[in-house]
Amino acid sequence: MKYVDEYRDPQIAAAIAERVARKVTRPWVLMEVCGGQTHTLMRYGIDELLPKQIELVHGPGCPVCVTPLELVDRAIRIASLDGVIFTSYGDMLRVPGSQADLFEAKAQGADVRIVYSPLDAVKIARQNPDRRVVFFAVGFETTAPANAMAVWQVKREGLTNFSMIVAHVLVPPAMRLILESPQNRVQGFIGPGHVCTVMGFEEYEVLAKEFHVPIVVGGFEPLDLLEAIGMLVAQLEEGRAEVENQYSRSVSYQGNVPAQQVMREVFEVSDRKWRGIGSIEASGFRLREEYAAFDAELVFGLEDLHAEEPKECISALVLQGLKKPMDCPAFGVRCTPTMPLGAPMVSTEGACAAYYQYRRHA
Ligand code: SF4
């Protein structure tokens, strides 16, 4: 398949890994930001192909994993109200709240439906004028334009029975948090290719310069990631700290400007709480005042909820690259994909799910 097969060639992969091995002279710790990249690395055993001096740690780029527990609880409360149709992407339904998940709410009678796009939720709102339809908008900058477009469309049509729980988070503030931590071990980042397809990579130059850390925007196929790792190792060995673009078939310097425009028309930057990590300044989106009528948290006026993370779950440390999933005592024992304690074991982008699925626990 075009754009897939040529990025999965095992001989080229071995040649790139050999080139990295020839270049490397000392240990380096690299972080892939995006959970999709984590899954590729684990699935194709890229961590095992690399010279032992390269350690890969896994970043916070799994939106489901960083959605706060309280927000999941609030979503369950809204979904359980009479007359509500609650819509969400599939992997959000299994994410544990403090007492239950959305699947359990559905089993108890809530009308919870899986959708594949926010526009599917808008369609459900059009078809059900006597019901209130809520969409759980979870994601990084990648999915924000489509969600913004849905709200923009709803306002234009004058639909009054649609609202959205906005749980959008932004990548650069999370990278800054990692770099500012006194415990930080990350010396180079594989930047998130999908996010940069929308946003470009100008904003990563500030981080590279301020923290003297190389960042290579990478794709999602095995050869993309190996090439990005090779570019990072070359920079580190040569003492450079620049932003480079490995994923040039998708990412441009400015990104997708019309998508950014619709996003900024509907959303504004706000502080946001990240699950397990806490509040990060200017790290998320909320609806602008002109679109407040579509903010489900205002529409349903639920009181503030407080919820405690399960004490055993070390996902906050995993998402900051300070621990690996297998360092968690619950991994594969009390926490599995069918009985998850934390979101990284559920999400298709979660690091714990990647380790579990590709049998690194065996
Ligand atoms: S294995 Fe489970 S409990 Fe441990 S960090 Fe991952 S999600 Fe949390």
Side-chain angles (χ1 to χ4, degrees):
M1 193 195 298
K2 183 80 179 146
Y3 295 128
V4 174
D5 293 344
E6 63 261 54
Y7 293 98
R8 294 182 182 177
D9 186 313
Q11 283 174 341
I12 301 176
I16 300 175
E18 209 181 299
R19 214 166 60 214
V20 175
R22 279 202 304 272
K23 186 87 185 169
V24 76
T25 62
R26 48 160 288 187
W28 297 112
V29 178
L30 310 180
M31 172 182 275
E32 80 286 355
V33 171
C34 176
Q37 293 169 330
T38 310
H39 275 249
T40 302
L41 292 168
M42 291 300 115
R43 179 174 176 193
Y44 291 93
I46 291 171
D47 50 333
E48 291 173 346
L49 203 61
L50 291 168
K52 62 178 183 324
Q53 293 101 318
I54 308 294
E55 184 186 350
L56 299 177
V57 294
H58 317 300
C62 162
V64 168
C65 304
V66 299
T67 301
L69 203 55
E70 298 91 294
L71 209 51
V72 178
D73 285 350
R74 200 167 293 159
I76 293 169
R77 291 256 189 113
I78 293 173
S80 305
L81 294 172
D82 277 347
V84 167
I85 302 174
F86 195 90
T87 61
S88 169
Y89 297 132
D91 55 355
M92 204 61 224
L93 268 58
R94 294 292 325 284
V95 174
S98 57
Q99 307 290 331
D101 59 30
L102 280 161
F103 256 132
E104 284 173 67
K106 184 175 171 65
Q108 283 168 18
D111 191 347
V112 178
R113 303 185 192 181
I114 294 173
V115 291
Y116 297 96
S117 138
L119 291 176
D120 291 345
V122 174
K123 193 169 162 193
I124 293 171
R126 276 191 212 109
Q127 290 166 344
N128 296 272
D130 54 336
R131 307 275 300 277
R132 295 190 288 177
V133 176
V134 181
F135 177 68
F136 203 171
V138 172
F140 281 92
E141 295 94 321
T142 326
T143 50
N147 292 339
M149 182 57 86
V151 175
W152 181 85
Q153 177 71 26
V154 159
K155 187 174 185 195
R156 207 173 68 122
E157 277 183 41
L159 276 181
T160 55
N161 65 331
F162 176 89
S163 60
M164 191 178 267
I165 298 178
V166 179
H168 277 297
V169 280
L170 308 175
V171 169
M175 286 172 67
R176 173 174 288 279
L177 181 98
I178 289 166
L179 288 165
E180 283 176 346
S181 163
Q183 289 102 43
N184 174 44
R185 299 175 62 230
V186 180
Q187 294 161 296
F189 287 96
I190 303 175
H194 289 156
V195 167
C196 293
T197 300
V198 174
M199 302 303 288
F201 54 91
E202 192 178 353
E203 56 189 336
Y204 295 85
E205 290 180 338
V206 181
L207 292 171
K209 199 168 168 198
E210 191 177 331
F211 295 94
H212 196 73
V213 63
I215 301 171
V216 174
V217 180
F220 294 82
E221 292 297 330
L223 296 194
D224 286 324
L225 290 164
L226 274 165
E227 202 180 355
I229 290 165
M231 290 163 78
L232 280 173
V233 169
Q235 284 205 47
L236 287 162
E237 292 285 340
E238 291 160 19
R240 292 185 289 120
E242 297 162 13
V243 180
E244 294 180 317
N245 182 16
Q246 180 279 328
Y247 201 30
S248 56
R249 67 186 185 280
S250 177
V251 174
S252 66
Y253 185 69
Q254 297 294 347
N256 185 335
V257 175
Q260 292 167 25
Q261 280 165 348
V262 70
M263 205 168 74
R264 292 195 176 114
E265 152 76 27
V266 173
F267 295 129
E268 62 187 2
V269 172
S270 66
D271 297 349
R272 190 152 279 282
K273 188 173 177 191
W274 294 54
R275 187 169 190 162
I277 297 173
S279 182
I280 306 179
E281 195 183 339
S283 68
F285 281 141
R286 67 174 170 225
L287 287 163
R288 287 188 180 279
E289 209 177 324
E290 307 89 278
Y291 294 91
F294 307 102
D295 184 336
E297 292 186 77
L298 295 177
V299 169
F300 291 92
L302 295 179
E303 76 283 11
D304 266 358
L305 295 174
H306 178 73
E308 293 288 333
E309 293 287 338
K311 290 220 169 358
E312 242 185 325
C313 180
I314 60 161
S315 64
L317 300 175
V318 173
L319 294 166
Q320 294 175 81
L322 299 171
K323 295 273 185 195
K324 298 273 183 79
M326 281 152 56
D327 298 329
C328 175
F331 179 87
V333 186
R334 288 171 299 285
C335 181
T336 64
T338 44
M339 294 284 286
L341 273 180
M345 188 53 99
V346 183
S347 168
T348 50
E349 295 181 299
C352 301
Y355 274 72
Y356 191 91
Q357 190 173 350
Y358 301 114
R359 307 257 167 219
R360 295 305 147 89
H361 60 296

PDB file of all heavy atoms in Angstrom, residues 161-187:
ATOM      1  N   ASN A 161     -29.977  22.175  20.745  1.00  0.00           N
ATOM      2  CA  ASN A 161     -29.938  20.970  21.598  1.00  0.00           C
ATOM      3  C   ASN A 161     -28.602  20.249  21.525  1.00  0.00           C
ATOM      4  O   ASN A 161     -28.513  19.071  21.824  1.00  0.00           O
ATOM      5  CB  ASN A 161     -31.073  20.010  21.206  1.00  0.00           C
ATOM      6  CG  ASN A 161     -30.905  19.468  19.801  1.00  0.00           C
ATOM      7  OD1 ASN A 161     -30.323  20.131  18.935  1.00  0.00           O
ATOM      8  ND2 ASN A 161     -31.385  18.261  19.567  1.00  0.00           N
ATOM      9  N   PHE A 162     -27.546  20.963  21.098  1.00  0.00           N
ATOM     10  CA  PHE A 162     -26.219  20.350  21.008  1.00  0.00           C
ATOM     11  C   PHE A 162     -25.260  21.104  21.932  1.00  0.00           C
ATOM     12  O   PHE A 162     -25.268  22.338  21.982  1.00  0.00           O
ATOM     13  CB  PHE A 162     -25.693  20.442  19.572  1.00  0.00           C
ATOM     14  CG  PHE A 162     -24.285  19.904  19.408  1.00  0.00           C
ATOM     15  CD1 PHE A 162     -24.062  18.565  19.127  1.00  0.00           C
ATOM     16  CD2 PHE A 162     -23.183  20.747  19.540  1.00  0.00           C
ATOM     17  CE1 PHE A 162     -22.765  18.070  18.983  1.00  0.00           C
ATOM     18  CE2 PHE A 162     -21.888  20.254  19.397  1.00  0.00           C
ATOM     19  CZ  PHE A 162     -21.685  18.915  19.106  1.00  0.00           C
ATOM     20  N   SER A 163     -24.441  20.347  22.669  1.00  0.00           N
ATOM     21  CA  SER A 163     -23.379  20.985  23.454  1.00  0.00           C
ATOM     22  C   SER A 163     -22.178  20.042  23.534  1.00  0.00           C
ATOM     23  O   SER A 163     -22.270  18.868  23.142  1.00  0.00           O
ATOM     24  CB  SER A 163     -23.879  21.368  24.851  1.00  0.00           C
ATOM     25  OG  SER A 163     -24.299  20.213  25.542  1.00  0.00           O
ATOM     26  N   MET A 164     -21.087  20.583  24.044  1.00  0.00           N
ATOM     27  CA  MET A 164     -19.820  19.852  23.999  1.00  0.00           C
ATOM     28  C   MET A 164     -19.089  19.983  25.336  1.00  0.00           C
ATOM     29  O   MET A 164     -19.041  21.067  25.903  1.00  0.00           O
ATOM     30  CB  MET A 164     -18.983  20.503  22.881  1.00  0.00           C
ATOM     31  CG  MET A 164     -17.763  19.778  22.467  1.00  0.00           C
ATOM     32  SD  MET A 164     -16.946  20.671  21.095  1.00  0.00           S
ATOM     33  CE  MET A 164     -17.643  19.872  19.663  1.00  0.00           C
ATOM     34  N   ILE A 165     -18.539  18.854  25.828  1.00  0.00           N
ATOM     35  CA  ILE A 165     -17.587  18.938  26.944  1.00  0.00           C
ATOM     36  C   ILE A 165     -16.222  19.101  26.289  1.00  0.00           C
ATOM     37  O   ILE A 165     -15.772  18.217  25.552  1.00  0.00           O
ATOM     38  CB  ILE A 165     -17.583  17.652  27.801  1.00  0.00           C
ATOM     39  CG1 ILE A 165     -18.948  17.418  28.431  1.00  0.00           C
ATOM     40  CG2 ILE A 165     -16.507  17.736  28.879  1.00  0.00           C
ATOM     41  CD1 ILE A 165     -19.023  16.129  29.264  1.00  0.00           C
ATOM     42  N   VAL A 166     -15.599  20.232  26.507  1.00  0.00           N
ATOM     43  CA  VAL A 166     -14.318  20.494  25.846  1.00  0.00           C
ATOM     44  C   VAL A 166     -13.175  20.062  26.760  1.00  0.00           C
ATOM     45  O   VAL A 166     -13.024  20.573  27.867  1.00  0.00           O
ATOM     46  CB  VAL A 166     -14.178  21.988  25.479  1.00  0.00           C
ATOM     47  CG1 VAL A 166     -12.824  22.241  24.826  1.00  0.00           C
ATOM     48  CG2 VAL A 166     -15.304  22.400  24.545  1.00  0.00           C
ATOM     49  N   ALA A 167     -12.403  19.093  26.282  1.00  0.00           N
ATOM     50  CA  ALA A 167     -11.268  18.588  27.069  1.00  0.00           C
ATOM     51  C   ALA A 167     -10.000  18.617  26.205  1.00  0.00           C
ATOM     52  O   ALA A 167      -9.192  17.699  26.239  1.00  0.00           O
ATOM     53  CB  ALA A 167     -11.553  17.174  27.566  1.00  0.00           C
ATOM     54  N   HIS A 168      -9.862  19.689  25.429  1.00  0.00           N
ATOM     55  CA  HIS A 168      -8.690  19.773  24.542  1.00  0.00           C
ATOM     56  C   HIS A 168      -7.443  20.212  25.287  1.00  0.00           C
ATOM     57  O   HIS A 168      -7.495  21.147  26.084  1.00  0.00           O
ATOM     58  CB  HIS A 168      -8.951  20.759  23.399  1.00  0.00           C
ATOM     59  CG  HIS A 168      -9.704  20.139  22.280  1.00  0.00           C
ATOM     60  ND1 HIS A 168      -9.185  19.096  21.538  1.00  0.00           N
ATOM     61  CD2 HIS A 168     -10.930  20.384  21.786  1.00  0.00           C
ATOM     62  CE1 HIS A 168     -10.076  18.728  20.643  1.00  0.00           C
ATOM     63  NE2 HIS A 168     -11.151  19.482  20.769  1.00  0.00           N
ATOM     64  N   VAL A 169      -6.350  19.548  24.996  1.00  0.00           N
ATOM     65  CA  VAL A 169      -5.068  19.906  25.599  1.00  0.00           C
ATOM     66  C   VAL A 169      -4.038  20.185  24.496  1.00  0.00           C
ATOM     67  O   VAL A 169      -4.207  19.739  23.363  1.00  0.00           O
ATOM     68  CB  VAL A 169      -4.558  18.792  26.539  1.00  0.00           C
ATOM     69  CG1 VAL A 169      -5.224  18.851  27.885  1.00  0.00           C
ATOM     70  CG2 VAL A 169      -4.742  17.408  25.932  1.00  0.00           C
ATOM     71  N   LEU A 170      -3.006  20.931  24.863  1.00  0.00           N
ATOM     72  CA  LEU A 170      -2.013  21.390  23.895  1.00  0.00           C
ATOM     73  C   LEU A 170      -0.640  20.795  24.226  1.00  0.00           C
ATOM     74  O   LEU A 170      -0.274  20.703  25.408  1.00  0.00           O
ATOM     75  CB  LEU A 170      -1.923  22.922  23.918  1.00  0.00           C
ATOM     76  CG  LEU A 170      -3.271  23.648  23.776  1.00  0.00           C
ATOM     77  CD1 LEU A 170      -3.093  25.146  23.941  1.00  0.00           C
ATOM     78  CD2 LEU A 170      -3.893  23.347  22.417  1.00  0.00           C
ATOM     79  N   VAL A 171       0.102  20.431  23.200  1.00  0.00           N
ATOM     80  CA  VAL A 171       1.367  19.718  23.416  1.00  0.00           C
ATOM     81  C   VAL A 171       2.507  20.592  23.955  1.00  0.00           C
ATOM     82  O   VAL A 171       3.155  20.223  24.939  1.00  0.00           O
ATOM     83  CB  VAL A 171       1.802  18.990  22.117  1.00  0.00           C
ATOM     84  CG1 VAL A 171       3.225  18.475  22.231  1.00  0.00           C
ATOM     85  CG2 VAL A 171       0.855  17.845  21.819  1.00  0.00           C
ATOM     86  N   PRO A 172       2.795  21.771  23.367  1.00  0.00           N
ATOM     87  CA  PRO A 172       4.010  22.493  23.828  1.00  0.00           C
ATOM     88  C   PRO A 172       4.030  22.801  25.331  1.00  0.00           C
ATOM     89  O   PRO A 172       5.092  22.634  25.955  1.00  0.00           O
ATOM     90  CB  PRO A 172       4.006  23.774  22.971  1.00  0.00           C
ATOM     91  CG  PRO A 172       3.291  23.366  21.727  1.00  0.00           C
ATOM     92  CD  PRO A 172       2.209  22.431  22.181  1.00  0.00           C
ATOM     93  N   PRO A 173       2.911  23.187  25.991  1.00  0.00           N
ATOM     94  CA  PRO A 173       3.006  23.432  27.445  1.00  0.00           C
ATOM     95  C   PRO A 173       3.357  22.164  28.234  1.00  0.00           C
ATOM     96  O   PRO A 173       4.042  22.249  29.259  1.00  0.00           O
ATOM     97  CB  PRO A 173       1.596  23.929  27.820  1.00  0.00           C
ATOM     98  CG  PRO A 173       1.015  24.424  26.533  1.00  0.00           C
ATOM     99  CD  PRO A 173       1.586  23.558  25.468  1.00  0.00           C
ATOM    100  N   ALA A 174       2.921  20.997  27.754  1.00  0.00           N
ATOM    101  CA  ALA A 174       3.272  19.747  28.450  1.00  0.00           C
ATOM    102  C   ALA A 174       4.756  19.441  28.278  1.00  0.00           C
ATOM    103  O   ALA A 174       5.421  18.979  29.208  1.00  0.00           O
ATOM    104  CB  ALA A 174       2.428  18.596  27.914  1.00  0.00           C
ATOM    105  N   MET A 175       5.309  19.723  27.099  1.00  0.00           N
ATOM    106  CA  MET A 175       6.750  19.517  26.891  1.00  0.00           C
ATOM    107  C   MET A 175       7.547  20.472  27.785  1.00  0.00           C
ATOM    108  O   MET A 175       8.567  20.104  28.365  1.00  0.00           O
ATOM    109  CB  MET A 175       7.107  19.743  25.414  1.00  0.00           C
ATOM    110  CG  MET A 175       6.643  18.595  24.521  1.00  0.00           C
ATOM    111  SD  MET A 175       6.833  18.942  22.761  1.00  0.00           S
ATOM    112  CE  MET A 175       8.588  19.009  22.562  1.00  0.00           C
ATOM    113  N   ARG A 176       7.046  21.688  27.918  1.00  0.00           N
ATOM    114  CA  ARG A 176       7.720  22.663  28.791  1.00  0.00           C
ATOM    115  C   ARG A 176       7.734  22.157  30.231  1.00  0.00           C
ATOM    116  O   ARG A 176       8.746  22.236  30.923  1.00  0.00           O
ATOM    117  CB  ARG A 176       6.994  24.021  28.686  1.00  0.00           C
ATOM    118  CG  ARG A 176       7.498  25.070  29.665  1.00  0.00           C
ATOM    119  CD  ARG A 176       6.841  26.414  29.399  1.00  0.00           C
ATOM    120  NE  ARG A 176       7.349  27.004  28.169  1.00  0.00           N
ATOM    121  CZ  ARG A 176       8.493  27.671  28.063  1.00  0.00           C
ATOM    122  NH1 ARG A 176       9.253  27.841  29.135  1.00  0.00           N
ATOM    123  NH2 ARG A 176       8.892  28.174  26.921  1.00  0.00           N
ATOM    124  N   LEU A 177       6.580  21.618  30.693  1.00  0.00           N
ATOM    125  CA  LEU A 177       6.504  21.093  32.066  1.00  0.00           C
ATOM    126  C   LEU A 177       7.556  20.006  32.289  1.00  0.00           C
ATOM    127  O   LEU A 177       8.247  19.977  33.310  1.00  0.00           O
ATOM    128  CB  LEU A 177       5.101  20.527  32.313  1.00  0.00           C
ATOM    129  CG  LEU A 177       4.876  19.976  33.707  1.00  0.00           C
ATOM    130  CD1 LEU A 177       4.173  21.016  34.568  1.00  0.00           C
ATOM    131  CD2 LEU A 177       4.051  18.701  33.679  1.00  0.00           C
ATOM    132  N   ILE A 178       7.685  19.112  31.308  1.00  0.00           N
ATOM    133  CA  ILE A 178       8.671  18.027  31.415  1.00  0.00           C
ATOM    134  C   ILE A 178      10.092  18.606  31.488  1.00  0.00           C
ATOM    135  O   ILE A 178      10.900  18.220  32.322  1.00  0.00           O
ATOM    136  CB  ILE A 178       8.531  17.064  30.212  1.00  0.00           C
ATOM    137  CG1 ILE A 178       7.227  16.268  30.343  1.00  0.00           C
ATOM    138  CG2 ILE A 178       9.733  16.133  30.083  1.00  0.00           C
ATOM    139  CD1 ILE A 178       6.808  15.548  29.086  1.00  0.00           C
ATOM    140  N   LEU A 179      10.366  19.587  30.637  1.00  0.00           N
ATOM    141  CA  LEU A 179      11.719  20.152  30.579  1.00  0.00           C
ATOM    142  C   LEU A 179      12.058  20.963  31.827  1.00  0.00           C
ATOM    143  O   LEU A 179      13.222  21.052  32.226  1.00  0.00           O
ATOM    144  CB  LEU A 179      11.847  21.025  29.321  1.00  0.00           C
ATOM    145  CG  LEU A 179      11.893  20.236  28.005  1.00  0.00           C
ATOM    146  CD1 LEU A 179      11.648  21.147  26.815  1.00  0.00           C
ATOM    147  CD2 LEU A 179      13.238  19.531  27.857  1.00  0.00           C
ATOM    148  N   GLU A 180      11.041  21.568  32.440  1.00  0.00           N
ATOM    149  CA  GLU A 180      11.294  22.384  33.644  1.00  0.00           C
ATOM    150  C   GLU A 180      11.436  21.546  34.911  1.00  0.00           C
ATOM    151  O   GLU A 180      11.896  22.040  35.931  1.00  0.00           O
ATOM    152  CB  GLU A 180      10.151  23.391  33.836  1.00  0.00           C
ATOM    153  CG  GLU A 180      10.266  24.571  32.886  1.00  0.00           C
ATOM    154  CD  GLU A 180       9.106  25.539  32.964  1.00  0.00           C
ATOM    155  OE1 GLU A 180       8.053  25.184  33.557  1.00  0.00           O
ATOM    156  OE2 GLU A 180       9.228  26.636  32.415  1.00  0.00           O
ATOM    157  N   SER A 181      11.009  20.274  34.834  1.00  0.00           N
ATOM    158  CA  SER A 181      11.056  19.437  36.038  1.00  0.00           C
ATOM    159  C   SER A 181      12.508  19.165  36.448  1.00  0.00           C
ATOM    160  O   SER A 181      13.337  18.801  35.608  1.00  0.00           O
ATOM    161  CB  SER A 181      10.336  18.109  35.761  1.00  0.00           C
ATOM    162  OG  SER A 181      10.709  17.179  36.745  1.00  0.00           O
ATOM    163  N   PRO A 182      12.823  19.292  37.749  1.00  0.00           N
ATOM    164  CA  PRO A 182      14.190  18.979  38.190  1.00  0.00           C
ATOM    165  C   PRO A 182      14.550  17.516  37.942  1.00  0.00           C
ATOM    166  O   PRO A 182      15.720  17.168  37.856  1.00  0.00           O
ATOM    167  CB  PRO A 182      14.157  19.266  39.694  1.00  0.00           C
ATOM    168  CG  PRO A 182      12.881  19.983  39.969  1.00  0.00           C
ATOM    169  CD  PRO A 182      11.946  19.742  38.831  1.00  0.00           C
ATOM    170  N   GLN A 183      13.513  16.655  37.819  1.00  0.00           N
ATOM    171  CA  GLN A 183      13.801  15.227  37.581  1.00  0.00           C
ATOM    172  C   GLN A 183      13.913  14.882  36.086  1.00  0.00           C
ATOM    173  O   GLN A 183      14.107  13.727  35.730  1.00  0.00           O
ATOM    174  CB  GLN A 183      12.687  14.345  38.165  1.00  0.00           C
ATOM    175  CG  GLN A 183      12.644  14.273  39.669  1.00  0.00           C
ATOM    176  CD  GLN A 183      11.553  15.162  40.217  1.00  0.00           C
ATOM    177  OE1 GLN A 183      10.461  15.197  39.692  1.00  0.00           O
ATOM    178  NE2 GLN A 183      11.871  15.902  41.266  1.00  0.00           N
ATOM    179  N   ASN A 184      13.776  15.875  35.233  1.00  0.00           N
ATOM    180  CA  ASN A 184      13.726  15.557  33.803  1.00  0.00           C
ATOM    181  C   ASN A 184      14.950  14.778  33.332  1.00  0.00           C
ATOM    182  O   ASN A 184      16.082  15.111  33.660  1.00  0.00           O
ATOM    183  CB  ASN A 184      13.624  16.847  32.981  1.00  0.00           C
ATOM    184  CG  ASN A 184      13.711  16.549  31.496  1.00  0.00           C
ATOM    185  OD1 ASN A 184      13.082  15.618  31.015  1.00  0.00           O
ATOM    186  ND2 ASN A 184      14.511  17.313  30.781  1.00  0.00           N
ATOM    187  N   ARG A 185      14.671  13.725  32.500  1.00  0.00           N
ATOM    188  CA  ARG A 185      15.764  12.932  31.926  1.00  0.00           C
ATOM    189  C   ARG A 185      15.799  13.064  30.398  1.00  0.00           C
ATOM    190  O   ARG A 185      16.699  12.549  29.756  1.00  0.00           O
ATOM    191  CB  ARG A 185      15.564  11.452  32.281  1.00  0.00           C
ATOM    192  CG  ARG A 185      15.573  11.163  33.781  1.00  0.00           C
ATOM    193  CD  ARG A 185      15.236   9.701  34.035  1.00  0.00           C
ATOM    194  NE  ARG A 185      16.244   8.835  33.431  1.00  0.00           N
ATOM    195  CZ  ARG A 185      15.961   7.804  32.635  1.00  0.00           C
ATOM    196  NH1 ARG A 185      14.712   7.488  32.364  1.00  0.00           N
ATOM    197  NH2 ARG A 185      16.919   7.063  32.127  1.00  0.00           N
ATOM    198  N   VAL A 186      14.789  13.735  29.842  1.00  0.00           N
ATOM    199  CA  VAL A 186      14.646  13.727  28.373  1.00  0.00           C
ATOM    200  C   VAL A 186      15.664  14.676  27.738  1.00  0.00           C
ATOM    201  O   VAL A 186      15.761  15.839  28.106  1.00  0.00           O
ATOM    202  CB  VAL A 186      13.214  14.146  27.968  1.00  0.00           C
ATOM    203  CG1 VAL A 186      13.064  14.147  26.450  1.00  0.00           C
ATOM    204  CG2 VAL A 186      12.195  13.226  28.604  1.00  0.00           C
ATOM    205  N   GLN A 187      16.407  14.152  26.752  1.00  0.00           N
ATOM    206  CA  GLN A 187      17.443  14.963  26.094  1.00  0.00           C
ATOM    207  C   GLN A 187      17.088  15.298  24.646  1.00  0.00           C
ATOM    208  O   GLN A 187      17.756  16.129  24.022  1.00  0.00           O
ATOM    209  CB  GLN A 187      18.770  14.217  26.150  1.00  0.00           C
ATOM    210  CG  GLN A 187      19.281  14.074  27.578  1.00  0.00           C
ATOM    211  CD  GLN A 187      20.320  12.988  27.718  1.00  0.00           C
ATOM    212  OE1 GLN A 187      20.037  11.814  27.501  1.00  0.00           O
ATOM    213  NE2 GLN A 187      21.535  13.366  28.060  1.00  0.00           N
TER     214      GLN A 187
END
